[in-house]
């Protein structure tokens, strides 16, 4: 399950969703993070093979970035 990363995390990850106990294997990074209803709530982006935690970019941030790119292009 995902939750907002805690305040004890580095500033870079302050608004990331933390996937506790969820191993992300090679090739799965960039995939969707889903809630219990199957709705996309983030994009998996950061994981360590040595730790059982991973991080996802919240969907609101992904959408905002895509909208910025669309207006530049």
């Amino acid at each position: 399950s995902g939750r907002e990363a805690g305040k004890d995390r580095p500033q870079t990850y302050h608004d990331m969703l933390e996937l506790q106990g969820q191993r992300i294997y090679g090739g799965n990074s960039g995939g969707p993070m889903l809630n219990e209803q199957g709705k996309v709530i983030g994009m998996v982006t950061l994981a360590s093979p040595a730790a059982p935690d991973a991080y996802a970019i919240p969907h609101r941030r992904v959408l905002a970035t895509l909208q910025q790119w669309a207006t530049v292009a």
Side-chain angles (χ1 to χ4, degrees):
S1 67
R3 66 176 177 92
E4 292 282 337
K7 293 185 194 272
D8 58 335
R9 299 288 180 209
Q11 183 65 24
T12 305
Y13 309 131
H14 76 281
D15 68 340
M16 301 286 277
L17 297 171
E18 184 177 4
L19 300 138
Q20 294 181 323
Q22 303 296 315
R23 291 202 182 272
I24 304 299
Y25 298 98
N28 290 342
S29 181
M33 178 182 166
L34 308 175
N35 66 12
E36 293 83 15
Q37 291 80 36
K39 293 183 180 182
V40 175
I41 61 170
M43 182 174 74
V44 177
T45 185
L46 180 67
S48 169
D53 296 336
Y55 294 89
I57 300 170
H59 75 285
R60 65 185 180 276
R61 195 161 110 198
V62 173
L63 291 175
T65 301
L66 291 174
Q67 288 172 343
Q68 279 183 326
W69 290 348
T71 58
V72 172

